[in-house]
């Protein structure tokens, strides 16, 4: 089956408390299907894809994540004021990851142009390259209209056990007589973004928080230092270091005009997030990560607008979840991000 886009409004079903009226509403009663007339609010997009994880020799199953996340969100209480729209899923059905990432970028650019903030439900972490393409398309189009003198400063904040800065491997089918082609995977998105920024003469500002040192080679740490990446290992992500981390993150946010937040669910301990491609032995607690999110969500530019354009969540794998434990964790993160976004609109 070829890649396509589909709508999943049928996932928005759940409990109804008629006796509580408007104060008893839940997400399934408020989320609307997206259409060309929608303006402002928050746009949900799904990226049904695990091709990048498969290429990276990970555990297949992230394709089903967007639908499962919607079902976990559906019954959560509605405490928001802005509209939330569901723009459906980009589906990678035929292994053409590059096309799926491009399609996601086009959908994101359209949503941002219509004054939405965007939350993308992945999918493997290859979603990040598609997400950034959407941000770049939007800012490039805006540049044509406003003719800024300086390139945009986009701060990428990634909560992740991995840098995902790997160089692109060549296709295994490439022979000496064939032209070589490089293929990305779930471990390469921020390398691809850095290369894009280099070509465009844009600054590459990347913060990676929650690294498992045993899962990142010396080569990756060396590359991160070359690229001036802000990073903290998982053993540093604790309450005693929280003031230092918040200060470093605050300075990072301050130097950027726009923010892109991405959360790889494998940053959490396997005890609370078993349903991922690469479970974490140690991980970072939800308490720590939730304490850092408000500074990202409330950041505003000089015009009083939210710096955060987009957030995505990656690597949730329902196949390996236990009692919907990871699904509920991801739903809580989406709920928290959406709540923070609406307070900034």
């Amino acid at each position: 089956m070829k890649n396509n886009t589909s709508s999943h409004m049928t996932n928005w079903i759940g409990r109804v408390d008629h006796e509580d009226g408007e104060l008893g509403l839940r997400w399934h009663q408020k989320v609307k299907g997206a259409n060309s007339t929608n303006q402002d609010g928050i746009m949900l997009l799904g990226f049904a894809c695990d091709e990048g994880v498969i290429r990276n020799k990970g555990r297949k199953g992230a394709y089903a994540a967007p639908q499962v996340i919607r079902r976990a969100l559906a019954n959560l209480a509605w405490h928001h004021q802005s509209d939330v729209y569901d723009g459906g899923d980009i589906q990678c059905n035929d292994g053409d990851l590059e096309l799926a990432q491009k399609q996601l970028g086009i959908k994101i650019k359209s949503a941002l142009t219509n004054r939405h903030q965007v939350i993308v439900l992945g999918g493997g972490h290859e979603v990040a390259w598609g997400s950034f393409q959407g941000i770049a398309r939007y800012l490039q189009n805006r540049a044509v209209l406003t003719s800024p003198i300086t390139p945009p400063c986009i701060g990428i904040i990634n909560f992740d056990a991995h840098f995902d800065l790997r160089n692109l491997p060549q296709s295994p089918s490439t022979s000496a007589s064939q032209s070589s082609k490089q293929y990305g995977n779930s471990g390469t998105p921020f390398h691809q973004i850095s290369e894009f920024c280099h070509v465009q003469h844009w600054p590459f500002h990347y913060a990676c928080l929650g690294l498992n040192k045993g899962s990142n080679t010396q080569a990756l740490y060396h590359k991160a230092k070359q690229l001036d990446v802000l990073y903290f290992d998982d053993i540093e992500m604790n309450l005693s270091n929280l003031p230092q981390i918040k200060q470093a993150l605050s300075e990072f946010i301050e130097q950027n005009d726009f923010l892109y937040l991405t959360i790889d669910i494998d940053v959490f301990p396997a005890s609370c997030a078993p349903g991922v491609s690469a479970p974490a032995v140690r991980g970072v607690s939800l308490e720590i990560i939730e304490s850092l999110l408000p500074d990202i969500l409330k950041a505003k530019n000089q015009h009083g607008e939210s710096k955060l354009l987009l957030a995505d969540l990656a690597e949730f794998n329902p196949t390996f979840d236990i009692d919907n434990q990871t699904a509920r964790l991801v739903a809580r993160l989406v709920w928290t991000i959406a709540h923070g976004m609406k307070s900034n609109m």
Side-chain angles (χ1 to χ4, degrees):
M1 184 185 300
K2 290 293 185 181
N3 291 354
N4 63 358
T5 302
S6 67
S7 175
H8 289 292
M9 290 305 294
T10 55
N11 288 300
W12 297 108
I13 56 175
R15 174 172 172 167
V16 177
D17 297 324
H18 293 294
E19 65 276 15
D20 294 326
E22 285 292 315
L23 297 180
L25 296 178
R26 301 172 187 273
W27 269 60
H28 70 89
Q29 296 168 283
K30 294 293 291 184
V31 174
K32 306 173 184 177
N35 61 58
S36 59
T37 64
N38 298 148
Q39 292 246 333
D40 296 323
I42 296 169
M43 180 68 72
L44 299 179
L45 296 172
F47 188 65
C49 177
D50 50 19
E51 175 64 22
V53 175
I54 294 169
R55 292 183 188 181
N56 202 23
K57 303 178 177 64
R59 304 195 296 181
K60 183 178 179 180
Y63 181 98
Q67 293 189 53
V68 176
I69 296 169
R70 287 182 177 91
R71 289 197 290 269
L73 267 170
N75 250 346
L76 293 187
W78 183 261
H79 286 268
H80 309 343
Q81 295 176 356
S82 62
D83 291 321
V84 176
Y85 305 99
D86 188 342
D89 287 354
I90 298 297
Q91 298 175 322
C92 183
N93 296 313
D94 60 0
D96 193 343
L97 171 59
E98 289 69 30
L99 174 60
Q101 290 167 322
K102 180 179 179 180
Q103 291 171 327
L104 176 62
I106 292 170
K107 292 272 284 188
I108 289 170
K109 184 253 185 181
S110 176
L112 292 174
T113 301
N114 285 330
R115 300 173 60 192
H116 296 297
Q117 287 175 290
V118 182
I119 300 176
V120 182
L121 313 175
H125 217 167
E126 64 270 19
V127 68
W129 176 221
S131 290
F132 192 86
Q133 286 184 50
I135 294 171
R137 283 174 179 269
Y138 165 68
L139 293 177
Q140 285 172 326
N141 182 67
R142 199 165 106 158
V144 170
L145 299 175
T146 60
S147 301
I149 299 173
T150 57
C153 288
I154 306 166
I156 304 165
I157 302 171
N158 180 25
F159 291 99
D160 200 339
H162 309 91
F163 277 118
D164 290 343
L165 276 169
R166 293 183 183 179
N167 295 325
L168 273 67
Q170 291 187 352
S171 168
S173 62
T174 299
S175 67
S177 62
Q178 295 175 311
S179 59
S180 63
K181 182 177 180 180
Q182 294 179 312
Y183 290 85
N185 58 49
S186 62
T188 65
F190 302 106
H191 165 83
Q192 292 170 278
I193 293 170
S194 72
E195 290 294 294
F196 173 90
C197 290
H198 176 73
V199 171
Q200 296 294 322
H201 303 290
W202 289 6
F204 176 64
H205 293 165
Y206 178 36
C208 190
L209 312 178
L211 294 158
N212 175 358
K213 198 165 189 176
S215 297
N216 293 271
T217 64
Q218 292 183 59
L220 289 170
Y221 276 94
H222 178 69
K223 185 173 183 177
K225 289 178 181 178
Q226 286 183 315
L227 292 170
D228 198 25
V229 176
L230 170 66
Y231 63 84
F232 289 94
D233 291 341
D234 53 7
I235 59 172
E236 300 173 298
M237 299 282 288
N238 54 54
L239 286 173
S240 62
N241 286 332
L242 191 56
Q244 174 192 348
I245 297 168
K246 286 178 71 71
Q247 179 61 33
L249 186 58
S250 176
E251 292 172 1
F252 179 87
I253 292 170
E254 182 64 28
Q255 68 176 312
N256 289 288
D257 304 315
F258 308 98
L259 296 177
Y260 160 36
L261 169 65
T262 179
I263 303 177
D264 189 318
I265 306 305
D266 70 20
V267 74
F268 296 100
S271 58
C272 69
V276 295
S277 176
V281 175
R282 179 189 178 95
V284 181
S285 72
L286 178 61
E287 178 185 15
I288 293 294
I289 290 177
E290 280 194 327
S291 67
L292 296 171
L293 288 179
D295 290 340
I296 301 168
L297 296 170
K298 72 182 182 183
K300 295 186 179 182
N301 61 24
Q302 59 184 346
H303 304 295
E305 302 165 331
S306 174
K307 287 188 174 185
L308 182 63
L309 297 176
L310 182 149
D312 63 37
L313 301 101
E315 301 285 343
F316 167 43
N317 188 327
T319 303
F320 300 97
D321 205 3
I322 300 172
D323 193 27
N324 288 323
Q325 191 172 334
T326 316
R328 287 194 292 268
L329 169 64
V330 180
R332 180 186 174 103
L333 289 168
V334 175
W335 189 100
T336 300
I337 292 167
H339 193 266
M341 281 180 165
K342 72 93 182 172
S343 67
N344 228 344
M345 300 182 69

